[in-house]
Amino acid sequence: MKFKYLVTMRHFMIALNFIIVSFIGAQFLLVTQYILNHQLSSELLTTLAQVPDSPLTLFSECIISYGLLVLVMYIHYHYNFSTQNTLLLLVLEFILAFVSFFAVRMNYNGIFLLIFIDLLLTYRNLPTIQSYWFWGISGTIFLLLFSFSNYSLLGVFFKMPSLNTYLDFLPTQSRSLLVFFNNFLVSLNLITFISICLGYVIYILNRTHTVQSKLHSMQKANDELKSYAAISEKIAQDHERKRIARDIHDTVGHTLTGVAAGIDAVMVLIDINPEAAKTQLQKISTAVKQGIKEVRQVLNQMRPDALKSYTLESALSKMLKEYSDISHIKIELNYGWGNANFQKTTENIIFRVIEETVTNSLRHGHATKIWIKCTSNNSSYILSMHNNGKSETHIKPGYGITQMRERLTIINGTVEFDGKKGFTTVVKFPKVGV
């Protein structure tokens, strides 16, 4: 059910209650006039507990009090107020509802049902009353209020005139007709109240289903984005491999081809013209040195940008701070390698290993804190990384772990993993010259 239908039914209930309140006030006014015309005033006074108010005053009170109640409903429905002012309007509604209840001399309590419907539909998005306990307490209060706000329970105590007492002075046919219309209008108000409550329940269920469907669609889109990101990463890796292979082919391949041809020439010249062979060997040596230089240039292009301008410790601190700022993960770095002079290849590998470990801690482990400790002993450097994320007893080597091991092989390093109580990665690689 759409919410606009509930609003339309609310408007109908407001109009219906106006008809009922006006009809009750009009009955007091017209029946009193009938009693006066038929000189039955003394009998009426002996029946009532006290002298009644002027019927015209009673009718005016009914119209004015209910009109003010509708005005407050209109104001808070069409204008936005702060939470505090909205609650004040809600309190004012309750006061005006009681005023209207007393205006009809407690002969009609359906106004309280209208107040509950207005609360249900108008204040549904108010932050302070969105919890289930509020609606449970409110529903209980309104149920008790509706049950006890009955003339048979309160009318005698407050000495209010009963409408039925006035109607008893009318002819049987007229009295029966008015009683029928009174009961019909009250029953119609109750049916409207029940219909709105049921419609609201259906509306909430439909909205919940819609939200769940959207969440499911968002989850599906999120999974597709993850797949797309994984594919994009794979494509980028393939492109990078092809670029590196092309650069190595253009440098090492051409250099080795030239060296091979030069050596063949030396083998021919060494017996015929040793001086020419030496000259050729000199050219080969120059070509090899140039090839080594070009290979180093290719490797330097693969070097992380942070390491081009900073030391290893500074580069790691900068990279880890960027991760921490983006993901709000806490990372503690204890760099205990001092002024160790690592080769560029070693620095590149250590940087990439730590970067890969932090990425895995976020992506797979969903960790909130990572501890990184760099230590050493007499023969090795030790890199220990631990996070408080998801534990994994059965570790299946994926692309990242495989790449990590392959990188560490270049510097004769090893890596071990422990998936208990979070996830721990320990890297060891030997000191050069020890």
Side-chain angles (χ1 to χ4, degrees):
M1 176 177 288
K2 295 184 179 180
F3 188 77
K4 64 178 183 179
Y5 296 145
L6 297 177
V7 174
T8 301
M9 294 177 68
R10 169 183 173 271
H11 292 161
F12 171 77
M13 194 172 181
I14 292 174
L16 178 61
N17 275 266
F18 176 75
I19 293 173
I20 295 174
V21 171
S22 302
F23 187 55
I24 293 174
Q27 288 178 85
F28 275 109
L29 180 63
L30 296 176
V31 174
T32 301
Q33 188 64 40
Y34 174 84
I35 292 173
L36 292 175
N37 292 337
H38 289 77
Q39 299 179 352
L40 300 172
S41 301
S42 59
E43 295 182 17
L44 175 64
L45 292 176
T46 57
T47 305
L48 299 176
Q50 64 180 17
V51 178
D53 297 326
S54 168
L56 183 59
T57 302
L58 187 151
F59 180 75
S60 301
E61 289 177 359
C62 292
I63 299 300
I64 294 174
S65 60
Y66 189 79
L68 291 174
L69 176 61
V70 174
L71 178 62
V72 173
M73 290 182 179
Y74 177 86
I75 290 174
H76 74 234
Y77 186 79
H78 289 88
Y79 298 95
N80 294 323
F81 297 94
S82 64
T83 301
Q84 183 178 1
N85 291 335
T86 302
L87 291 175
L88 289 176
L89 286 174
L90 178 60
V91 172
L92 182 59
E93 274 190 44
F94 274 102
I95 295 174
L96 290 174
F98 275 100
V99 172
S100 298
F101 177 61
F102 282 98
V104 295
R105 302 306 185 260
M106 300 183 182
N107 286 278
Y108 173 67
N109 59 0
I111 297 175
F112 297 116
L113 299 181
L114 174 63
I115 296 299
F116 180 77
I117 291 299
D118 188 65
L119 174 66
L120 190 68
L121 300 184
T122 305
Y123 299 99
R124 69 190 187 281
N125 295 323
L126 194 62
T128 55
I129 61 173
Q130 286 184 347
S131 56
Y132 290 110
W133 66 265
F134 175 86
W135 290 111
I137 295 176
S138 299
T140 303
I141 292 175
F142 274 100
L143 180 62
L144 294 175
L145 186 61
F146 181 73
S147 300
F148 286 100
S149 60
N150 189 282
Y151 181 84
S152 60
L153 295 176
L154 300 177
V156 178
F157 179 78
F158 286 96
K159 296 181 180 181
M160 293 289 182
S162 171
L163 180 60
N164 290 329
T165 302
Y166 280 74
L167 296 180
D168 286 339
F169 287 89
L170 295 175
T172 303
Q173 186 175 2
S174 299
R175 183 176 67 251
S176 300
L177 186 61
L178 290 175
V179 171
F180 168 78
F181 275 114
N182 285 328
N183 293 336
F184 173 77
L185 292 174
V186 172
S187 299
L188 183 59
N189 182 69
L190 184 59
I191 292 173
T192 305
F193 170 79
I194 295 173
S195 300
I196 294 177
C197 289
L198 292 176
Y200 186 78
V201 171
I202 296 173
Y203 164 75
I204 292 297
L205 292 176
N206 290 339
R207 189 173 67 172
T208 302
H209 177 71
T210 302
V211 171
Q212 290 177 347
S213 299
K214 289 182 179 180
L215 289 175
H216 178 72
S217 300
M218 292 176 63
Q219 182 62 40
K220 183 178 180 181
N222 187 41
D223 293 339
E224 291 177 354
L225 285 174
K226 288 182 179 179
S227 299
Y228 176 77
I231 293 173
S232 299
E233 183 179 357
K234 180 64 176 176
I235 293 174
Q237 291 172 352
D238 290 340
H239 287 171
E240 183 66 11
R241 288 190 185 124
K242 290 179 181 179
R243 185 189 68 80
I244 295 172
R246 183 174 61 251
D247 290 342
I248 292 177
H249 175 269
D250 292 341
T251 56
V252 178
H254 292 170
T255 299
L256 292 178
T257 300
V259 169
I263 291 175
D264 291 339
V266 169
M267 292 176 64
V268 174
L269 292 173
I270 195 167
D271 295 326
I272 301 173
N273 189 347
E275 292 298 326
K278 290 181 180 180
T279 302
Q280 187 65 23
L281 286 173
Q282 185 65 38
K283 292 180 180 180
I284 293 173
S285 176
T286 302
V288 170
K289 292 177 181 179
Q290 181 62 30
I292 293 173
K293 182 179 179 180
E294 291 178 354
V295 169
R296 286 177 176 173
Q297 290 177 351
V298 173
L299 293 176
N300 285 332
Q301 291 177 2
M302 299 168 58
R303 185 173 175 81
D305 293 336
L307 289 174
K308 294 179 181 179
S309 305
Y310 302 94
T311 62
L312 176 60
E313 181 180 3
S314 300
L316 288 175
S317 299
K318 180 176 182 296
M319 181 264 290
L320 295 176
K321 184 179 184 303
E322 291 174 353
Y323 267 98
S324 181
D325 291 341
I326 294 173
S327 62
H328 302 291
I329 189 173
K330 295 181 179 179
I331 305 177
E332 290 187 5
L333 173 63
N334 184 3
Y335 190 86
W337 289 340
N339 297 322
N341 187 18
F342 296 116
Q343 295 181 356
K344 290 184 177 180
T345 302
T346 301
E347 289 185 346
N348 294 346
I349 291 172
I350 295 304
F351 187 92
R352 293 303 187 192
V353 166
I354 294 177
E355 187 178 47
E356 178 71 20
T357 302
V358 173
T359 301
N360 290 338
S361 300
L362 287 169
R363 182 185 301 172
H364 304 297
H366 306 291
T368 59
K369 191 168 185 179
I370 302 175
W371 295 266
I372 301 175
K373 190 174 183 180
C374 304
T375 59
S376 62
N377 54 30
N378 293 332
S379 59
S380 303
Y381 290 103
I382 303 170
L383 171 63
S384 177
M385 296 168 285
H386 175 73
N387 67 69
N388 64 347
K390 184 172 63 175
S391 301
E392 184 63 50
T393 55
H394 302 288
I395 302 173
K396 296 180 180 179
Y399 177 80
I401 291 179
T402 302
Q403 286 289 99
M404 189 183 300
R405 284 174 172 164
E406 290 177 355
R407 284 194 178 107
L408 290 170
T409 302
I410 298 174
I411 58 174
N412 296 320
T414 60
V415 60
E416 295 179 355
F417 304 100
D418 185 358
K420 299 177 182 179
K421 296 181 180 180
F423 199 89
T424 302
T425 303
V426 178
V427 174
K428 293 182 180 180
F429 58 98
K431 293 182 177 181
V432 178
V434 177

